[in-house]
Amino acid sequence: MARLLRTGNFVLAFLLVSIFASQCFAQSPAQSSKNSARESRQYMEMMNGIFDFVQKNYVDEVDPAVLYRGALKGMLESLEDPYTLYLDTSTMRSLSDTTEGKFGGVGLSISKPYESTPDKPAYVEVASPIEDTPGFRAGIVAGDLIISVDGTDTSEITMEEVLGKLRGKVGESVDLVIRRGKAMEFPVSLVRDYIEVPTVKYGTIASPTNAGRLHETPVLYGYIRIIEFTPLTAERVQEALDSFGKTISALIIDVRNNPGGLITSVADVADKFIDSGPIVTTKSRIAYENSVFTASPKKTTFKGLPIIVLINKGSASASEILAGALKDNHLAYLVGQRTYGKGSVQQVVPLSATDGIKMTMARYYTPSDTNIDKIGIPPDREVLYPDLGEEGEKEFAELLKNDDIAKYVDAHAAMSEADIAAFAKTLAKKYPHIDERTLRKLMRNQVDRTKPAALYDLDYDIQLGAALDILGKESFTTLVRATKTLKELQEEAEAQKSAEEKPAKK
């Protein structure tokens, strides 16, 4: 034992001396300024040496893939950039599906616990079925557990293996066993189809009261909800615009909870409304990452049509590019809540067929030459949902735990809106800190859980309701002309901050 310890100490001492010497050499001012390439090589040699040392000397045998992934994660996390990260197999696959726009599968968004125990096996849980897909049409609902896929117990395989079984060649079938509730289990056979990543939903909204005006002719507004910016988004937006024709008097573009996507996609969408000038500019220390996406000269779609863009704190990245471009060009009025504030551009770099890295390569700027990173875009008209508060949050958790809504809906088939409203009033007595509008929304979700999701919910959606009121009761032209560009808003904010920090003169 003593001999082994001495040998270990000798090797470790040699390694530490080597590292210390390299660090001293690397910290030389002359070397750091003149020989950065040589310094980088030295650090790489140190990393290789430690990798080799750990693999050969750690108390247990080590999978080199574990060290590889850990080293990459640590390296990228050291940059303290939440958008620069290592992409494992499942993340890489999910990102690929988004950027490609469609894949062969069954249309189920799923999750899986990391740990599996005899008391609680790590079965796959359905987070939500994607509308109008094989899984959706089969009646699979959120909360269902997938016990097995093609005879394989899902608690005993990884998430990557589950995805590998669910996705595949279009036209081939995959057999599932579903568990619903505590004891109900049933088999489901699904035929894989092309699953398009949900990107755009659209329709028209008729103002039932004509927004307080006395005209008898119905007022129609076009409504486009952009869920994510994929290669298919611009095409789907054009389909929406073509379907509206000349029937609409205004357009509402909803990018709430839109996490972003491809910069080329959002530039193509914005180009449909902007007839000249920059849409978005990217700036980087790398020359080839500097680019300007410019509107193409053409007759723009619905020129002069009032446009309202709905935003909230879930609107990020590409959705902020669209909102910023339309705002800076005084083409749209923003309603809702300040956006997330992601003003950087990432690239995915594949490392193999199954993993890769995502790295920030540039920052983007709106047409007024403004970067909104960590700042966000403020709405022109702020409309916020009521805060539940501490008591409301407790009651909400209790409501979900008690499963009051699901139990009532299951016992009362074919509920009408009047039935929903009546039971919401009853629930409000038990949960007084949750407003009835929210309770009706939860009821409606449960009643319609096996139907295609509604395009909008005017009873619950106060931000959409505010947009309709603006279009029907106010002068859009006056409002949008009075708005300020993002550059002007940021300059005002900086001036105000400087004035507040300036010491008062005696």
Side-chain angles (χ1 to χ4, degrees):
M1 178 65 70
R3 178 176 162 311
L4 289 174
L5 285 174
R6 284 199 300 272
T7 303
N9 287 338
F10 172 78
V11 174
L12 183 59
F14 178 80
L15 181 66
L16 290 174
V17 168
S18 299
I19 292 174
F20 180 74
S22 297
Q23 286 176 332
C24 289
F25 186 81
Q27 289 170 356
S28 167
Q31 292 297 333
S32 63
S33 61
K34 297 180 181 179
N35 298 310
S36 60
R38 183 177 180 182
E39 184 180 353
S40 296
R41 285 196 300 272
Q42 288 174 333
Y43 281 123
M44 286 301 301
E45 289 170 3
M46 290 164 59
M47 289 180 63
N48 288 336
I50 295 172
F51 186 100
D52 186 61
F53 181 79
V54 172
Q55 193 175 5
K56 290 179 178 177
N57 294 277
Y58 184 68
V59 62
D60 297 319
E61 187 173 347
V62 180
D63 182 352
V66 172
L67 296 180
Y68 160 78
R69 289 192 292 266
L72 283 180
K73 288 178 181 177
M75 183 191 304
L76 298 176
E77 286 174 2
S78 72
L79 299 174
E80 298 183 349
D81 175 3
Y83 311 115
T84 295
L85 65 159
Y86 172 70
L87 305 173
D88 58 21
T89 303
S90 61
T91 308
M92 190 76 172
R93 182 197 293 266
S94 177
L95 193 62
S96 175
D97 291 342
T98 298
T99 54
E100 290 176 9
K102 60 182 179 180
F103 58 93
V106 296
L108 298 174
S109 296
I110 59 175
S111 63
K112 189 179 192 297
Y114 285 107
E115 186 177 353
S116 184
T117 65
D119 294 333
K120 195 172 183 179
Y123 293 126
V124 169
E125 182 173 1
V126 176
S128 64
I130 299 173
E131 294 174 40
D132 303 322
T133 63
F136 181 89
R137 289 190 290 269
I140 296 174
V141 299
D144 283 351
L145 298 179
I146 302 177
I147 303 301
S148 70
V149 181
D150 284 339
T152 301
D153 188 325
T154 62
S155 69
E156 299 176 355
I157 58 177
T158 65
M159 183 66 154
E160 290 77 15
E161 290 172 314
V162 173
L163 290 172
K165 290 178 176 295
L166 292 177
R167 299 175 183 177
K169 189 175 181 180
V170 171
E172 293 184 350
S173 63
V174 56
D175 296 322
L176 313 180
V177 173
I178 301 295
R179 177 181 294 172
R180 183 170 298 167
K182 294 183 178 179
M184 183 173 68
E185 291 188 7
F186 54 92
V188 176
S189 183
L190 304 175
V191 178
R192 295 189 189 94
D193 198 354
Y194 280 116
I195 307 301
E196 182 175 320
V197 177
T199 178
V200 172
K201 295 182 181 297
Y202 61 89
T204 56
I205 303 176
S207 181
T209 61
N210 288 324
R213 293 180 174 175
L214 301 177
H215 303 298
E216 295 181 359
T217 305
V219 177
L220 283 181
Y221 304 120
Y223 174 80
I224 301 177
R225 179 158 61 94
I226 304 178
I227 301 165
E228 199 161 352
F229 288 94
T230 76
L232 303 172
T233 304
E235 180 183 342
R236 298 293 176 260
V237 168
Q238 189 59 54
E239 288 176 2
L241 297 173
D242 291 342
S243 75
F244 299 150
K246 296 181 179 180
T247 63
I248 61 173
S249 59
L251 181 64
I252 299 171
I253 301 175
D254 189 347
V255 292
R256 291 174 296 176
N257 301 314
N258 180 323
L262 303 177
I263 192 170
T264 51
S265 174
V266 68
D268 288 343
V269 171
D271 191 28
K272 298 181 184 299
F273 306 99
I274 301 171
D275 55 13
S276 63
I279 293 171
V280 62
T281 302
T282 62
K283 300 180 183 181
S284 171
R285 69 186 180 96
I286 307 168
Y288 66 79
E289 288 294 334
N290 297 323
S291 58
V292 180
F293 294 81
T294 306
S296 56
K298 62 188 176 314
K299 183 179 179 181
T300 54
T301 304
F302 297 134
K303 188 169 185 177
L305 191 75
I307 300 174
I308 286 184
V309 178
L310 296 176
I311 56 174
N312 67 1
K313 63 182 179 181
S315 305
S317 192
S319 56
E320 292 174 291
I321 290 176
L322 179 62
L326 294 178
K327 177 175 176 59
D328 278 352
N329 280 279
H330 297 282
L331 294 174
Y333 193 74
L334 310 188
V335 174
Q337 182 183 25
R338 182 181 288 269
T339 62
Y340 181 81
K342 180 180 180 293
S344 57
V345 182
Q346 287 71 41
Q347 280 194 14
V348 175
V349 182
L351 300 176
S352 70
T354 58
D355 71 341
I357 63 173
K358 184 174 70 168
M359 188 164 69
T360 298
M361 305 290 281
R363 291 184 174 87
Y364 71 77
Y365 293 75
T366 69
S368 63
D369 197 33
T370 306
N371 180 257
I372 53 86
D373 198 48
K374 299 181 177 64
I375 299 172
I377 298 175
D380 298 310
R381 178 77 56 86
E382 186 176 57
V383 180
L384 303 178
Y385 284 90
D387 191 345
L388 279 174
E390 186 176 344
E391 290 301 319
E393 289 177 357
K394 290 180 181 178
E395 290 182 0
F396 197 87
E398 185 183 352
L399 172 65
L400 297 180
K401 182 180 178 181
N402 293 340
D403 213 16
D404 288 340
I405 291 176
K407 290 176 183 176
Y408 188 86
V409 171
D410 289 345
H412 299 78
M415 292 184 66
S416 65
E417 278 296 319
D419 297 329
I420 290 172
F423 187 63
K425 288 185 178 296
T426 301
L427 282 176
K429 296 175 182 177
K430 184 176 180 180
Y431 304 102
H433 293 91
I434 305 177
D435 66 279
E436 289 186 30
R437 179 189 289 110
T438 299
L439 292 171
R440 290 195 299 271
K441 174 65 173 174
L442 295 172
M443 288 282 295
R444 204 173 290 118
N445 288 347
Q446 184 65 24
V447 170
D448 297 336
R449 67 188 184 279
T450 60
K451 302 176 184 177
L455 181 61
Y456 49 80
D457 186 340
L458 293 180
D459 175 52
Y460 175 76
D461 195 341
I462 59 175
Q463 293 172 339
L464 177 57
L468 294 173
D469 281 345
I470 290 169
L471 292 172
K473 298 178 181 178
E474 301 183 45
S475 169
F476 177 85
T477 302
T478 302
L479 287 174
V480 81
R481 282 178 179 172
T483 61
K484 297 177 180 179
T485 66
L486 293 172
K487 186 76 169 181
E488 291 170 334
L489 290 175
Q490 285 196 10
E491 287 175 347
E492 283 185 2
E494 289 169 4
Q496 182 178 352
K497 183 178 179 182
S498 297
E500 291 173 352
E501 293 175 350
K502 188 176 181 179
K505 293 183 179 180
K506 295 183 179 179

